[in-house]
Amino acid sequence: MITAAKVIELSKQQESAILEFKRQWYWNDETSNDEKNILWGEFLKDLIALANAYIGYVGKKRFLLIGISESDQQFHDIDISKTKELRDIKKFRQKIQGKLEALTNPSLINFDLSIINIDGKNILAIEIPSPTMVISLSKEVTTKTKHIDQGHVLLRRGQKSDEVRTASFDEIELLRKEFNSNTSNDEDDFQVTRSILSTVQQYINQNSSCTIADNYPKSRKDWTTGIIFEIFKLNDVFGDERNDKVFLYIHENATQKNTYGYLKSHGLLPQDLNFLILLTERPKGLKTSDRRIENLKELFETKNVFFIDQFGKTFLYKKCISHYEKFAQPIFVDSLSDEIVNGKSSAIEILNEWYNSQENAIAVVKGHGGIGKTTLAKQFLDIIYETQPDIGVFFIVSSEIIDELEKNARLNQKIDDIYDFYQAQNKRGKSDSTSFTRDLFQLSVDNGSVIIVLDGIDEAIAKLGSKFDVNAFINKISTHYCSNIKNAKILITCRDYFWDSINIKAEILQISLKAFNADLAQTFFAQHFGDSSVKISRAMILANGFAINGQLKDQVTYIPYVLDMIAYLIKSQSETDDNNFAPIIESEILNINLSNDYIIYQVCHRELKKLNNMCVDDQIKLFMNLTASAKGNASLYDVKSLASETRPFIDDSIIEKLKGHPILNCSDNKIYFRYDFFYEFFRSLIISNAFKNHNVNLIMPNSIDILVDNVRFDDSFSNSVCSRINYDDGIIIFAIDLIEKINDPSFVCDNEDTRKRAVSSVFSLLLTLLKNSPAKFDAESCTSMLTDVFKISENTLSGVCLINLTSRESNKPIFNFKGLVIKESTFDNYEFFWDCLIDDKTRFLKSDFINLTPRRDVNPKVFELTFDQSCNTEGIQDVLTSITESANQKQQTIHEKLVKFFRLFFEHGNFYPQKQQYIRGKVFTGELLPVLLKNGVIVDYIDPLKPTLKQYKVADSYKPICRMFDQSTTCIEIDRVARLFK
């Protein structure tokens, strides 16, 4: 299944024998039938030629992308509303298959057709796996420009490398030889790389008396005759032939009779077929998949025939897979995806199709907190389990295992493998199942015997930082877990901000969940309230108060978690016969003008009124303590201790009431937040409460972790904090005091790196406040804030920390460092460092520069003394070297141009005046002349005999340059002039 990321990647390439762009679709609903018939021929001709491609492309996937201009490589919406065929992609694909089946030999029916939405534009993407033989026309075809006869072979190679034409006899023969020799070098061509070696190795590990016999394995991959197998002979190390085994793998595309005949005639089958274990792939999505097993049993006369995953589950890792308990969610409304995949926008349908395909081992469901990522993942697992009750399911919640992962990270253990997450969960779990080894785990995932959901990977990204290499993590899944049988399926949920910021390059199915529209909100409430139209109407009225206005008129959306809270409030009203929400709203912490705060206030107020629970702010403070001290997860005993910090006298009845609090869940004598959204909400509340009250004592050591892990410039978390804070001088003063506290050696901090990151987070929060304020956000205002916070004297700053400072918006945090001395500072992954303004007086002293890659189209500029020797510039040495080389090259170029320039004045061994018009008329003098005139190297000259003639001459002090021409030597004067252009 082709993804948006793949289409974007391809759009940056040039057209070739296996890649074609079309700006628009071939026809629309207004096209006449006669013309449409010709355009059908044009379209089919393009597909067939793309499938054959040309010599040298066997084994590589082919792509036809419609909605991309070849000339500018920009995206253009194909407007599916104007072409009826494109409005039902599934039906259209079947129609194309039917036409190709009648038109081609062998039939070209293997291709993928998808509509991909990129930046609001629909692109039609067609992906064709490499054929295994030359495809010819089985009947004639008519296009816009030609009539092509039956039997011809179409290629994409003409005067242009991507031109379609009829192949010559020699080209057909060369192409056939290439197909027959199967010279594919495409790494994702499963026909070449599949093997049962891992399965056999794991069998040997569990049956240590076995070893692979000499001269084995043997294999054959003849795609023309369909003889495709791999065979291992295992001998008993003690010589007991009764324990010998023969493992035979038959590829799904093999011709079974041909393969059997070859094995039989070459004596590769054991005489006693009870020793034979035959393995093959399980057909995807076929109700008659068992028929393959029965056919092989009958042909090979053995009962020991298994699908590869079936053999693994039965004989290798059955004890490692624990029982799956369905989530059985009482309320589920199918969310919609921003990405349209194969004509589908239903998130659950996209996931189901992904699971039943062999494309993309990884799918990511992303979106902001409370939008339904976890709910969707649980529903998906329940659906899979209904059709495959014997599948292994691992639902790994990142937040539950983060402590274990951190412990591993502190021991300098790499966190770059899904197995690390499995192990961490296994250590805290209560399962009676045997633990997988790493190799066995990889095998089970590759075989498709287990499906893994990694819920909330953003927790690991935020908490582990650089100790969790997400790209390495994804790449390892691609190489270790789906490099063989290719049935791996791993579903990841993640906040969109975190996922979009890590620049994953691998092919991954991405689903961006949309908030509910009005119809889905109605459906949600109908599931909650059944036939009670009064309650549904009441819920929708309240929900409209929290709806998010879209860009289009009357377009509103609803956050699922808000709807759930509204449903709770209305149900609670029914139980207490109370039809009013809290009439008087009092809170020193919450901002009731914010919809999230209002909902949470109403929920807590309901608990106070219904159960005589703690007052609203005491409940809020408890949740803040639970967030900061216990990371949102605490035992009931610890909860009592946390509550006593807010309210001195806590009895057991309060704890009992908290067990049923709608914001919390309680199980196994532990309390934790019902949604991960609440964990983030109360984290932002902790920070905003300290800033709002200008109280540095509210920032405790555990609050520093929240700053470091969550605050980024202009992200959702920082904007949530800033929504409760007013931007004024008091905030700047508080930030200065807070940074002073963080830098105080007596303040408990994990390490110096954490201290620096905390300082950077405080300043990033100030920048976010500035951006959201009415004040202008530009280099001048950002620099003013920087100097306010870090200035220690007239032109000196100290302790500046700009770490992980990036932006996806046009407003970029850029500073003017001209004339400033900046010391003992850290610049790490500051995206716009090289955009900042500097001059020859800018100095960096005793500072660290790490991971500062210049942005595209930004040319870094430094001066000789910009970076003092006391600085750590190891992390930017390649940039500095490049700047030096570029400067040297520029100086060399300038030097050459200057020599050429002065030669215009050189005659008879000396410099003579020249007409201004003559000098200005030379194109290359344009960049030189203004500088030379300004600095008095070239001066105006008036000839006494021709006073009206405008002339230039070389100033007397620079006349020694002429020695370069008559003595072929250099001189100090030309070097002095060249320095004017630095």
Side-chain angles (χ1 to χ4, degrees):
M1 184 187 299
I2 191 169
T3 63
K6 183 65 175 179
V7 171
I8 293 171
E9 176 192 336
L10 291 168
S11 72
K12 298 174 183 177
Q13 301 177 18
Q14 296 297 316
E15 281 194 328
S16 67
I18 55 173
L19 176 62
E20 181 174 9
F21 301 135
K22 296 281 185 184
R23 191 184 188 283
Q24 59 190 22
W25 180 245
Y26 294 77
W27 64 81
N28 58 42
D29 292 340
E30 296 180 0
T31 306
S32 68
N33 289 335
D34 289 342
E35 186 179 1
K36 185 183 285 189
N37 288 335
I38 294 174
L39 293 173
W40 258 109
E42 187 75 19
F43 169 53
L44 297 173
K45 173 209 72 174
D46 289 341
L47 278 186
I48 297 165
L50 192 62
N52 283 323
Y54 196 68
I55 302 154
Y57 292 93
V58 169
K60 296 182 181 295
K61 290 180 179 178
R62 289 87 157 106
F63 298 93
L64 173 59
L65 304 179
I66 301 165
I68 300 178
S69 170
E70 177 189 359
S71 58
D72 60 17
Q73 292 182 303
Q74 298 296 308
F75 295 107
H76 302 273
D77 189 86
I78 59 173
D79 197 352
I80 60 178
S81 65
K82 293 184 177 180
T83 308
K84 64 181 179 180
E85 286 87 351
L86 303 181
R87 295 195 283 272
D88 189 342
I89 286 296
K90 186 175 181 180
K91 186 176 179 181
F92 188 41
R93 185 182 187 279
Q94 293 172 345
K95 190 170 185 177
I96 296 170
Q97 279 183 320
K99 286 181 176 290
L100 285 171
E101 193 168 8
L103 186 62
T104 54
N105 181 34
S107 298
L108 173 59
I109 57 173
N110 186 17
F111 60 89
D112 183 48
L113 186 73
S114 305
I115 289 183
I116 309 292
N117 189 279
I118 300 174
D119 295 333
K121 298 180 176 66
N122 286 322
I123 309 299
L124 181 64
I126 301 177
E127 176 184 332
I128 307 173
S130 174
T132 57
M133 57 187 70
V134 175
I135 295 171
S136 61
L137 296 176
S138 58
K139 65 179 184 179
E140 62 188 29
V141 61
T142 301
T143 71
K144 288 190 296 184
T145 58
K146 62 183 74 174
H147 181 84
I148 307 170
D149 291 332
Q150 175 183 345
H152 282 203
V153 172
L154 297 173
L155 299 178
R156 276 178 62 80
R157 187 80 173 197
Q159 293 178 347
K160 296 180 180 179
S161 63
D162 58 351
E163 183 182 338
V164 174
R165 66 172 174 80
T166 302
S168 68
F169 177 79
D170 288 342
E171 285 172 323
I172 295 172
E173 286 305 305
L174 286 171
L175 197 56
R176 279 180 176 154
K177 286 180 181 178
E178 192 170 326
F179 276 121
N180 289 338
S181 61
N182 198 27
T183 57
S184 168
N185 58 3
D186 191 340
E187 291 182 358
D188 64 0
D189 185 351
F190 67 89
Q191 293 180 338
V192 177
T193 58
R194 281 192 176 177
S195 170
I196 58 166
L197 175 61
S198 297
T199 297
V200 173
Q201 286 175 332
Q202 289 302 320
Y203 180 85
I204 292 173
N205 289 346
Q206 297 182 28
N207 298 271
S208 56
S209 64
C210 294
T211 184
I212 298 176
D214 293 340
N215 300 319
Y216 279 87
K218 299 178 187 291
S219 64
R220 185 175 179 83
K221 298 182 179 72
D222 188 337
W223 307 103
T224 305
T225 61
I227 301 173
I228 312 164
F229 68 86
E230 182 180 44
I231 191 165
F232 292 79
K233 185 176 181 182
L234 272 56
N235 291 338
D236 184 85
V237 295
F238 301 110
D240 188 346
E241 294 183 355
R242 292 173 299 177
N243 294 327
D244 288 354
K245 292 286 186 292
V246 174
F247 279 84
L248 171 62
Y249 163 60
I250 303 292
H251 191 277
E252 60 184 326
N253 290 340
T255 303
Q256 294 177 7
K257 289 184 178 179
N258 289 359
T259 303
Y260 173 78
Y262 181 93
L263 290 164
K264 191 77 173 174
S265 63
H266 286 75
L268 294 176
L269 294 176
Q271 290 185 349
D272 186 348
L273 292 174
N274 288 321
F275 291 160
L276 177 65
I277 298 173
L278 196 155
L279 304 179
T280 190
E281 294 96 356
R282 181 188 298 273
K284 278 280 186 181
L286 295 181
K287 295 180 180 178
T288 57
S289 61
D290 287 344
R291 187 179 301 166
R292 181 179 293 175
I293 295 290
E294 296 306 318
N295 290 342
L296 288 169
K297 283 182 177 180
E298 183 178 347
L299 180 63
F300 283 85
E301 298 178 345
T302 177
K303 61 181 180 180
N304 300 323
V305 181
F306 306 93
F307 293 126
I308 297 172
D309 65 306
Q310 178 188 22
F311 180 83
K313 279 183 288 190
T314 306
F315 298 103
L316 300 179
Y317 41 77
K318 181 178 182 180
K319 294 180 180 179
C320 301
I321 299 176
S322 57
H323 169 70
Y324 172 71
E325 188 69 35
K326 288 181 67 175
F327 291 102
Q329 301 175 117
I331 306 295
F332 176 74
V333 176
D334 182 13
S335 300
L336 299 179
S337 166
D338 258 341
E339 294 82 10
I340 298 176
V341 181
N342 289 344
K344 295 181 175 64
S345 59
S346 158
I348 198 72
E349 288 183 13
I350 293 172
L351 283 180
N352 288 338
E353 187 163 299
W354 161 73
Y355 180 76
N356 288 313
S357 74
Q358 283 191 310
E359 296 293 328
N360 297 322
I362 307 168
V364 171
V365 176
K366 59 182 182 175
H368 54 73
I371 203 166
K373 302 183 293 295
T374 301
T375 301
L376 173 66
K378 290 178 177 179
Q379 187 71 14
F380 167 67
L381 289 179
D382 280 357
I383 291 172
I384 297 302
Y385 184 71
E386 285 177 4
T387 56
Q388 292 181 254
D390 58 342
I391 195 168
V393 175
F394 292 100
F395 188 82
I396 303 173
V397 182
S398 296
S399 60
E400 293 180 359
I401 61 171
I402 201 69
D403 289 342
E404 189 66 38
L405 292 174
E406 278 192 296
K407 189 188 302 179
N408 294 340
R410 283 195 294 271
L411 296 172
N412 292 322
Q413 295 181 11
K414 270 189 172 182
I415 311 296
D416 63 354
D417 193 326
I418 191 74
Y419 184 73
D420 299 326
F421 286 79
Y422 161 76
Q423 268 194 319
Q425 185 190 53
N426 225 35
K427 286 181 180 178
R428 69 180 300 277
K430 299 179 180 179
S431 172
D432 294 330
S433 59
T434 304
S435 293
F436 276 101
T437 64
R438 189 180 295 272
D439 290 340
L440 202 57
F441 185 70
Q442 289 177 0
L443 178 65
S444 67
V445 174
D446 191 20
N447 285 350
S449 300
V450 301
I451 182 170
I452 300 170
V453 171
L454 181 50
D455 188 43
I457 197 176
D458 45 281
E459 291 282 347
I461 296 170
K463 191 65 178 175
L464 298 175
S466 60
K467 295 168 185 172
F468 176 38
D469 188 336
V470 188
N471 269 296
F473 175 81
I474 297 297
N475 289 335
K476 184 162 283 191
I477 292 175
S478 302
T479 54
H480 287 62
Y481 289 87
C482 51
S483 59
N484 186 26
I485 306 303
K486 297 185 179 295
N487 284 332
K489 292 296 172 187
I490 298 172
L491 175 63
I492 295 171
T493 73
C494 186
R495 299 290 178 91
D496 46 10
Y497 169 78
F498 284 96
W499 188 262
D500 294 339
S501 66
I502 55 180
N503 192 28
I504 297 294
K505 296 178 181 178
E507 283 194 33
I508 295 173
L509 171 66
Q510 298 192 39
I511 298 174
S512 303
L513 290 190
K514 292 182 179 181
F516 283 1
N517 57 29
D519 290 339
L520 293 180
Q522 286 269 7
T523 303
F524 180 88
F525 288 133
Q527 290 190 27
H528 265 284
F529 303 125
D531 297 330
S532 178
S533 58
V534 173
K535 291 181 180 178
I536 295 173
S537 177
R538 172 74 172 131
M540 284 301 298
I541 291 171
L542 187 56
N544 287 330
F546 302 109
I548 302 170
N549 292 319
Q551 294 179 347
L552 301 178
K553 188 178 179 182
D554 299 328
Q555 182 189 60
V556 293
T557 56
Y558 307 81
I559 304 301
Y561 106 87
V562 174
L563 303 184
D564 195 50
M565 292 293 97
I566 290 171
Y568 157 75
L569 289 170
I570 291 177
K571 283 185 176 180
S572 183
Q573 287 174 343
S574 300
E575 293 175 8
T576 59
D577 297 323
D578 182 3
N579 293 318
N580 297 309
F581 293 114
I584 301 174
I585 296 174
E586 297 177 351
S587 175
E588 296 179 358
I589 304 173
L590 298 174
N591 182 347
I592 309 305
N593 294 319
L594 302 175
S595 59
N596 288 335
D597 290 32
Y598 180 81
I599 282 288
I600 287 175
Y601 182 90
Q602 292 289 4
V603 170
C604 293
H605 184 270
R606 181 64 56 183
E607 290 300 293
L608 168 64
K609 186 173 182 181
K610 186 172 71 170
L611 300 176
N612 194 27
N613 208 323
M614 294 184 290
C615 73
V616 171
D617 275 4
D618 280 351
Q619 292 179 58
I620 298 301
K621 289 175 184 176
L622 169 61
F623 298 145
M624 290 164 67
N625 289 339
L626 179 63
T627 299
S629 302
K631 301 177 183 176
N633 186 335
S635 69
L636 292 175
Y637 177 81
D638 290 335
V639 169
K640 189 172 183 178
S641 174
L642 292 172
S644 65
E645 295 176 17
T646 300
R647 184 173 173 175
F649 303 105
I650 298 291
D651 57 30
D652 291 339
S653 66
I654 292 292
I655 302 302
E656 287 300 314
K657 292 170 186 176
L658 287 172
K659 288 182 181 180
H661 201 291
I663 284 177
L664 302 173
N665 268 340
C666 180
S667 64
D668 299 328
N669 289 319
K670 281 193 173 184
I671 278 184
Y672 49 93
F673 288 120
R674 182 177 179 187
Y675 292 116
D676 59 356
F677 163 80
F678 292 126
Y679 187 33
E680 178 169 325
F681 176 86
F682 289 109
R683 280 183 288 188
S684 72
L685 207 57
I686 289 169
I687 305 302
S688 62
N689 195 43
F691 272 74
K692 185 174 71 173
N693 291 289
H694 298 177
N695 187 348
V696 296
N697 294 323
L698 293 175
I699 298 293
M700 305 300 289
N702 49 31
S703 306
I704 294 298
D705 288 341
I706 298 174
L707 273 170
V708 170
D709 293 342
N710 298 277
V711 172
R712 298 288 185 276
F713 170 70
D714 199 30
D715 70 348
S716 59
F717 184 90
S718 297
N719 283 314
S720 173
V721 172
C722 292
S723 66
R724 299 181 176 84
I725 306 171
N726 294 321
Y727 177 61
D728 52 29
D729 291 341
I731 281 291
I732 303 294
I733 295 170
F734 167 75
I736 295 171
D737 291 341
L738 180 55
I739 288 173
E740 185 178 337
K741 176 180 179 177
I742 293 169
N743 284 326
D744 190 327
S746 65
F747 184 72
V748 178
C749 214
D750 286 350
N751 50 53
E752 192 60 28
D753 180 62
T754 300
R755 203 181 296 276
K756 290 178 180 179
R757 289 176 183 274
V759 172
S760 176
S761 295
V762 172
F763 188 69
S764 293
L765 208 52
L766 289 182
L767 286 173
T768 306
L769 264 175
L770 175 64
K771 179 181 177 296
N772 293 341
S773 73
K776 195 173 182 180
F777 187 85
D778 56 13
E780 183 180 351
S781 59
C782 289
T783 306
S784 176
M785 177 177 284
L786 188 78
T787 54
D788 285 344
V789 175
F790 297 106
K791 186 165 72 173
I792 60 172
S793 67
E794 182 60 30
N795 68 334
T796 303
L797 309 184
S798 179
V800 176
C801 293
L802 301 180
I803 301 173
N804 293 329
L805 183 54
T806 62
S807 175
R808 291 176 290 168
E809 304 294 334
S810 57
N811 291 324
K812 300 174 178 62
I814 296 172
F815 306 96
N816 185 350
F817 293 142
K818 287 184 175 180
L820 292 177
V821 176
I822 303 168
K823 66 179 187 178
E824 296 173 354
S825 299
T826 299
F827 302 87
D828 182 355
N829 193 31
Y830 169 36
E831 184 179 6
F832 308 103
F833 179 80
W834 300 106
D835 296 70
C836 294
L837 305 175
I838 66 170
D839 59 14
D840 58 352
K841 293 182 176 61
T842 303
R843 298 285 185 276
F844 292 100
L845 311 174
K846 298 181 181 179
S847 297
D848 296 319
F849 303 88
I850 307 162
N851 192 23
L852 301 175
T853 304
R855 295 189 306 116
R856 184 182 297 178
D857 300 328
V858 172
N859 295 316
K861 179 181 180 182
V862 298
F863 295 88
E864 187 175 352
L865 301 177
T866 301
F867 298 101
D868 186 75
Q869 290 184 349
S870 60
C871 290
N872 173 18
T873 58
E874 184 177 347
I876 58 169
Q877 196 56 54
D878 56 337
V879 180
L880 297 180
T881 301
S882 176
I883 293 172
T884 303
E885 291 175 351
S886 177
N888 292 339
Q889 180 65 37
K890 182 179 178 183
Q891 282 301 105
Q892 178 65 27
T893 303
I894 288 293
H895 194 280
E896 292 170 357
K897 288 182 178 179
L898 285 171
V899 171
K900 186 178 179 183
F901 180 89
F902 283 111
R903 190 177 287 278
L904 297 175
F905 295 88
F906 186 73
E907 294 179 28
H908 314 302
N910 201 356
F911 286 143
Y912 287 87
Q914 295 291 343
K915 294 178 183 178
Q916 291 187 11
Q917 184 178 0
Y918 168 67
I919 299 299
R920 291 182 181 276
K922 303 295 183 181
V923 175
F924 73 92
T925 65
E927 66 173 307
L928 303 177
L929 189 59
V931 177
L932 298 176
L933 287 169
K934 180 181 177 181
N935 289 278
V937 179
I938 301 297
V939 295
D940 291 330
Y941 172 71
I942 298 176
D943 187 339
L945 300 177
K946 302 176 182 177
T948 60
L949 181 64
K950 293 182 178 181
Q951 298 183 81
Y952 290 132
K953 77 168 188 174
V954 178
D956 291 345
S957 57
Y958 290 95
K959 278 198 169 184
I961 293 175
C962 69
R963 286 179 299 177
M964 294 180 60
F965 304 110
D966 59 9
Q967 299 178 22
S968 299
T969 183
T970 186
C971 63
I972 191 65
E973 287 80 8
I974 193 73
D975 294 336
R976 191 180 301 146
V977 174
R979 283 198 292 273
L980 297 175
F981 294 89
K982 275 193 174 181

